[in-house]
Amino acid sequence: MTDRYTKAVNSGFTQTLAKKLGLPRPAVLRRYRAGDSLTVGPVLVVSDGASKADADAIAQTLLGWDLDVRREPTDDVRWGAVVLVLTEATAPTDASEAVLATGSVLRRLAGNGRVVTVSRAPADGDSPALSATRHGVDGFLRSVAKELRGGATGNGVVLTDDVAVDDPSVLGTLRFFLGAKSAYVDGQLLRVGPTADGVPAADAPEPATDRPLTGQVAVVTGAARGIGAAIARTLHRDGATVVCVDVPAAGEALAATANAVGGTALQLDVTAEDAGERILAHARERHGRLDVVVHNAGITRDKLLANMKPGQWDAVIAVNLAAQLRINAALLEAGLEGLRIVSLASTSGIAGNKGQTNYAFSKAGVIGHTRATAGLLAARGGTANAVAPGFIETEMTSRIPFATREVARRIPSLAQGGQPVDVAEAIAFLASPAAAGVNGQVLRVCGQHLVGQ
Amino acid sequence: MTDRYTKAVNSGFTQTLAKKLGLPRPAVLRRYRAGDSLTVGPVLVVSDGASKADADAIAQTLLGWDLDVRREPTDDVRWGAVVLVLTEATAPTDASEAVLATGSVLRRLAGNGRVVTVSRAPADGDSPALSATRHGVDGFLRSVAKELRGGATGNGVVLTDDVAVDDPSVLGTLRFFLGAKSAYVDGQLLRVGPTADGVPAADAPEPATDRPLTGQVAVVTGAARGIGAAIARTLHRDGATVVCVDVPAAGEALAATANAVGGTALQLDVTAEDAGERILAHARERHGRLDVVVHNAGITRDKLLANMKPGQWDAVIAVNLAAQLRINAALLEAGLEGLRIVSLASTSGIAGNKGQTNYAFSKAGVIGHTRATAGLLAARGGTANAVAPGFIETEMTSRIPFATREVARRIPSLAQGGQPVDVAEAIAFLASPAAAGVNGQVLRVCGQHLVGQ
């Protein structure tokens, strides 16, 4: 699926016209299809001197994924990806050689290619030089992502000090960034820590598994349409049995989604006092368990604060934030083992947005409760994470006036809006066993939108 | 000082023309002049119910600053500022009433007015609801800042749990945001913690002091021209004796700056092995002490990474990052009491920038070493902070092609570039005793530029 503008400016006649008019010509993004190769070409693995052993381990894993792995930049291939390993760099000058090696192949990076950095997260007690080096990777990665073209993206895996590069979650995150499931994730760094208590790394499945959610039960709120329906489809594709939740007014669409994914429908207003208990009861009674909860239901009541009415403020806080808190409290109370919660935040909750003080408060709040809940779930082997979409093409955004919509679409590095499935893929990744070490994080799915980082 | 575009579109004839053409008409920002009132009108202080005592304490302080303080929104005044106190809010719904009270007066907020939130920083151990509420303020503040017009700004003071609202640093930060010295700081939240060991709060001076750096010696690198010269002038205005450092090639301009501020000039390449020792020796021998170091010297060698030459990468890392690390190591080694270090970062170091992989690595690195150094200096009552300028009007930026420059200028919420003095004011604030509780922070001076947060 591609938006009409992207289709038009990339088709024969209009392509020439668009070029003459100087309109941005966003690339057609490669999205996941079962059976396609992970990358679009050979993968170059480079590192600074001290990180060579880590780079070797990563190269070994990539070979195991049937990729064509190279260790030297050459001019004779169209590269599918560059993996830049800087895990053991301790001084800013350490990165120089590997960074320049990366630069040397960028002109031969294929469309929909990938640059992925693998580095360490700054930590308390880092020396100034170490902290500078670790932070430096952040500024570098976000810059290089802005330079890539043709649907290529740049993202970073950031390991905490207590995690090895061959940790399943590190490899799972690397795989997500290398492949087509992260098509609209760009310029982002995702932190990977040790797997939560109760989920020993040895039990974690191969990240290459095709249906990682087999046998699991997932609940998706706001599942009747748009992004929610895409999430339900994607979790189903990954093997989960999906409980589709939406308000009674959306009953017909909800039933259609539930049928399409072979799941069940639960008509429920998420702001109901007992919403959490009812979700839990439905999942247990109908499917015998509950493993994943996706808080996708949300509303907007955009208004400048100067014109905001109490009902507009309160409704947004109630649906987007208070309801999630109440449902999570019930889930925590139930003490489920290994529960994965993924909540929908927004770039508006990170950078703010004109006319969205209420929405931005609620979405920043989602980030807040995600961080706090992460610690509580970790004790039972679970995780809480958030996904922050940028401009996503939905029925809702199709009602935005044309000019405003066009501007919003072209601002990200990828020069186009994302598709609901892009958000769904990020959520499916965060719900999967491969992401067991990703906890309390916010993953933006925004094509590297200018706003926020 | 105002850029020519802003002057033109705000002057009689061209004002009409600019309006017809739909060009953005940036407000003329009110900047600090000794003797001017702190705000442009009465200050409304509102809060949620639980934060009323904190709001009372703040209102009391503002009265002591000779401000016209009100506690109820009314229609009969042109407001100079709204202070929104949410320090004790614990649930997302708590904020509603105070937020709407803020909104109710925004249409009567004067040009160059202020909205300042005072809230608590999220902390480990926060309940999900508390964490949501504290994070929510962040999204709210950044959104409301984007809605303000006429040079009005929105910023937030964020207290850690161990600090009271009447802490001198909290009040000092509030005063900075309320006044004209923060003219180009917009949409930012600054964290204030307890004053570092060795500087008991009782000894901290009144934040209202006009020359807070009296008796202190400050070093400014890259001081010959532009932002560096503005920093030297502003620190001098605030009472400091200033050591102006720049490369020998800039000797004439350097001498002029040093003379203008009644300080001394030190010709020095900051990348010299012994730069730190020489700075220290100069300050001690000529002025008997060293209290403030401003790392302003920096270079750009912009190039797409695909075309980057080793010399371009290495020079930027050497000057912008490695030099600061080496100088700081010498300063730490000397064990100075109460040392304040302020380093120039950049919005490029936060969000990345096309063609600036080297610069963004170096500036993200500056943020990294600032965080690590903060902890080391705190032990002796010092602080390390960074200032991240956005688009600032300098000789350097005046060479950017007209159209590119115009776009860069209009993107921030304030729809204009900043002046060197805006960066200097932020640095002078961070160097002042009033900012003793601000440590390891990055303050953006960017007019709420879209990029980054």
Side-chain angles (χ1 to χ4, degrees):
Chain A
M1 258 171 75
T2 303
D3 73 80
R4 282 164 61 193
Y5 175 92
T6 302
K7 266 191 197 143
V9 295
N10 283 289
S11 75
F13 169 73
T14 45
Q15 185 170 335
T16 316
L17 187 70
K19 214 169 179 178
K20 286 217 167 154
L21 290 171
L23 291 177
R25 207 145 52 85
V28 177
L29 302 185
R30 175 179 183 254
R31 292 191 167 88
Y32 175 81
R33 288 185 315 184
D36 282 0
S37 65
L38 185 65
T39 63
V40 290
V43 181
L44 174 67
V45 179
V46 296
S47 75
D48 66 292
S51 309
K52 194 177 167 301
D54 280 352
D56 289 345
I58 285 172
Q60 216 42 49
T61 299
L62 298 185
L63 284 170
W65 294 346
D66 287 332
L67 294 173
D68 177 358
V69 182
R70 319 281 182 94
R71 301 302 302 275
E72 294 292 337
T74 52
D75 279 348
D76 57 341
V77 287
R78 200 96 184 127
W79 295 98
V82 184
V83 178
L84 172 56
V85 184
L86 296 168
T87 40
E88 300 302 317
T90 54
T93 44
D94 288 353
S96 174
E97 209 176 315
V99 158
L100 292 160
T102 302
S104 75
V105 301
L106 287 186
R107 248 175 296 174
R108 299 193 59 81
L109 186 69
N112 286 292
R114 298 285 185 257
V115 173
V116 183
T117 55
V118 181
S119 62
R120 294 262 175 211
D124 289 347
D126 282 356
S127 73
L130 182 59
S131 182
T133 309
R134 291 174 166 189
H135 273 88
V137 177
D138 189 291
F140 166 78
L141 183 275
R142 294 183 201 273
S143 298
V144 77
K146 289 183 176 178
E147 298 181 5
L148 301 176
R149 294 195 261 181
T153 63
N155 291 292
V157 189
V158 184
L159 288 62
T160 58
D161 277 324
D162 43 4
V163 166
V165 287
D166 60 355
D167 180 281
S169 289
V170 172
L171 299 175
T173 304
L174 174 60
R175 188 177 171 91
F176 175 70
F177 284 148
L178 282 175
K181 290 182 178 178
S182 63
Y184 198 63
V185 179
D186 194 13
Q188 302 306 307
L189 296 108
L190 191 58
R191 185 180 287 229
V192 182
T195 299
D197 304 347
V199 185
D203 285 3
E206 248 303 281
T209 308
D210 241 11
R211 290 167 61 84
L213 298 178
T214 300
Q216 301 205 358
V217 175
V219 169
V220 181
T221 68
R225 297 190 187 84
I227 293 174
I231 297 166
R233 284 193 298 270
T234 306
L235 296 179
H236 167 66
R237 178 204 68 192
D238 282 358
T241 302
V242 183
V243 176
C244 301
V245 176
D246 216 313
V247 288
E252 210 167 315
L254 179 66
T257 304
N259 285 339
V261 302
T264 55
L266 171 60
Q267 291 189 7
L268 173 75
D269 180 342
V270 291
T271 63
E273 279 294 334
D274 61 348
E277 287 78 3
R278 286 176 59 194
I279 285 171
L280 199 54
H282 177 102
R284 282 175 163 167
E285 284 160 23
R286 299 287 294 273
H287 308 289
R289 56 188 295 161
L290 178 55
D291 305 280
V292 175
V293 173
V294 181
H295 288 298
N296 165 70
I299 60 171
T300 56
R301 295 286 182 274
D302 294 0
K303 212 68 161 167
L304 291 179
L305 184 60
N307 305 323
M308 181 87 66
K309 294 201 170 48
Q312 294 163 331
W313 177 273
D314 293 340
V316 168
I317 304 300
V319 175
N320 296 7
L321 185 50
Q324 293 190 13
L325 283 165
R326 204 179 299 113
I327 292 169
N328 283 355
L331 299 172
L332 284 163
E333 175 75 24
L336 303 168
E337 291 296 320
L339 179 67
R340 300 297 186 85
I341 298 179
V342 188
S343 302
L344 268 284
S346 163
T347 50
S348 292
I350 296 171
N353 198 13
K354 194 171 172 172
Q356 295 200 311
T357 46
N358 48 358
Y359 188 73
F361 185 106
S362 75
K363 293 303 190 179
V366 165
I367 293 171
H369 80 59
T370 296
R371 292 198 174 138
T373 305
L376 303 174
L377 288 177
R380 288 179 181 272
T383 67
N385 290 288
V387 167
F391 186 87
I392 304 296
E393 309 279 353
T394 62
E395 209 183 303
M396 204 165 82
T397 56
S398 73
R399 288 195 297 264
I400 296 172
F402 179 77
T404 312
R405 194 172 70 232
E406 275 312 301
V407 170
R409 275 177 179 158
R410 305 312 149 207
I411 286 177
S413 292
L414 289 176
Q416 60 192 289
Q419 296 295 330
V421 70
D422 298 327
V423 178
E425 294 286 13
I427 289 169
F429 163 65
L430 291 170
S432 75
V438 180
N439 198 10
Q441 304 303 306
V442 182
L443 178 59
R444 293 179 58 151
V445 182
C446 66
Q448 194 171 37
H449 200 282
L450 254 188
V451 304
Q453 296 174 2
Chain B
M1 253 171 82
T2 303
D3 73 82
R4 282 165 61 194
Y5 175 92
T6 302
K7 266 190 198 144
V9 294
N10 282 289
S11 75
F13 169 73
T14 45
Q15 183 169 336
T16 316
L17 188 70
K19 213 167 177 179
K20 287 216 166 153
L21 291 171
L23 293 177
R25 206 146 53 83
V28 177
L29 302 185
R30 176 179 181 253
R31 291 190 167 89
Y32 175 80
R33 288 186 314 184
D36 282 0
S37 64
L38 185 65
T39 62
V40 290
V43 182
L44 174 66
V45 179
V46 295
S47 75
D48 66 292
S51 308
K52 195 177 167 300
D54 280 353
D56 289 345
I58 285 172
Q60 215 43 50
T61 300
L62 299 184
L63 283 170
W65 293 347
D66 287 331
L67 294 173
D68 177 358
V69 182
R70 319 281 181 96
R71 301 304 300 276
E72 294 292 337
T74 52
D75 280 348
D76 57 341
V77 288
R78 200 93 186 132
W79 295 98
V82 184
V83 177
L84 173 55
V85 183
L86 296 167
T87 39
E88 300 302 318
T90 54
T93 45
D94 288 354
S96 174
E97 210 176 312
V99 159
L100 293 161
T102 302
S104 74
V105 301
L106 287 186
R107 249 176 294 173
R108 300 193 58 82
L109 187 69
N112 286 290
R114 297 286 185 259
V115 173
V116 183
T117 55
V118 181
S119 62
R120 294 263 174 207
D124 289 348
D126 282 356
S127 72
L130 182 59
S131 182
T133 310
R134 290 173 166 188
H135 273 88
V137 176
D138 189 292
F140 166 78
L141 185 274
R142 293 182 202 274
S143 299
V144 77
K146 290 185 176 178
E147 298 181 5
L148 300 177
R149 294 196 262 179
T153 63
N155 291 292
V157 189
V158 183
L159 288 63
T160 58
D161 277 324
D162 44 4
V163 165
V165 287
D166 60 355
D167 180 281
S169 288
V170 172
L171 300 175
T173 305
L174 175 60
R175 189 178 171 90
F176 175 69
F177 284 149
L178 282 175
K181 290 181 178 177
S182 64
Y184 198 63
V185 179
D186 195 12
Q188 303 307 307
L189 296 108
L190 191 58
R191 184 179 288 228
V192 182
T195 299
D197 303 348
V199 185
D203 285 2
E206 248 303 281
T209 309
D210 242 11
R211 291 169 59 86
L213 298 177
T214 301
Q216 301 205 0
V217 175
V219 169
V220 181
T221 68
R225 296 189 188 84
I227 293 175
I231 297 167
R233 284 193 297 271
T234 305
L235 295 179
H236 168 64
R237 178 204 68 192
D238 282 356
T241 301
V242 183
V243 177
C244 300
V245 176
D246 217 313
V247 288
E252 210 169 315
L254 180 65
T257 304
N259 285 339
V261 303
T264 55
L266 171 60
Q267 291 190 6
L268 174 75
D269 181 341
V270 291
T271 64
E273 280 292 337
D274 61 348
E277 287 78 3
R278 286 175 58 196
I279 284 170
L280 199 54
H282 177 102
R284 283 175 163 165
E285 284 160 23
R286 298 288 294 271
H287 308 289
R289 57 189 294 162
L290 178 54
D291 305 280
V292 175
V293 173
V294 180
H295 289 297
N296 165 70
I299 60 171
T300 56
R301 295 286 181 273
D302 293 359
K303 211 69 163 167
L304 291 179
L305 184 60
N307 305 323
M308 182 87 65
K309 296 201 168 50
Q312 294 163 331
W313 176 274
D314 293 340
V316 167
I317 304 300
V319 175
N320 296 5
L321 185 51
Q324 293 189 14
L325 282 166
R326 203 179 300 112
I327 293 170
N328 283 354
L331 297 173
L332 283 164
E333 175 75 24
L336 303 169
E337 292 293 322
L339 180 67
R340 300 297 185 87
I341 298 179
V342 187
S343 302
L344 269 282
S346 162
T347 49
S348 292
I350 297 171
N353 198 14
K354 193 170 173 174
Q356 296 201 310
T357 46
N358 49 0
Y359 188 73
F361 185 106
S362 76
K363 293 303 190 179
V366 165
I367 293 171
H369 79 60
T370 296
R371 291 198 175 136
T373 306
L376 303 174
L377 288 177
R380 290 180 179 272
T383 66
N385 291 288
V387 167
F391 186 87
I392 303 295
E393 308 279 353
T394 62
E395 210 182 304
M396 205 163 82
T397 56
S398 72
R399 288 195 295 265
I400 298 172
F402 179 78
T404 312
R405 196 171 70 231
E406 276 311 303
V407 169
R409 276 179 178 157
R410 306 309 150 208
I411 286 178
S413 291
L414 289 176
Q416 59 192 291
Q419 296 295 330
V421 70
D422 298 327
V423 178
E425 294 287 11
I427 289 168
F429 164 64
L430 292 170
S432 74
V438 181
N439 198 10
Q441 304 303 305
V442 183
L443 179 58
R444 293 178 56 151
V445 182
C446 65
Q448 194 172 36
H449 200 282
L450 255 187
V451 303
Q453 296 174 2

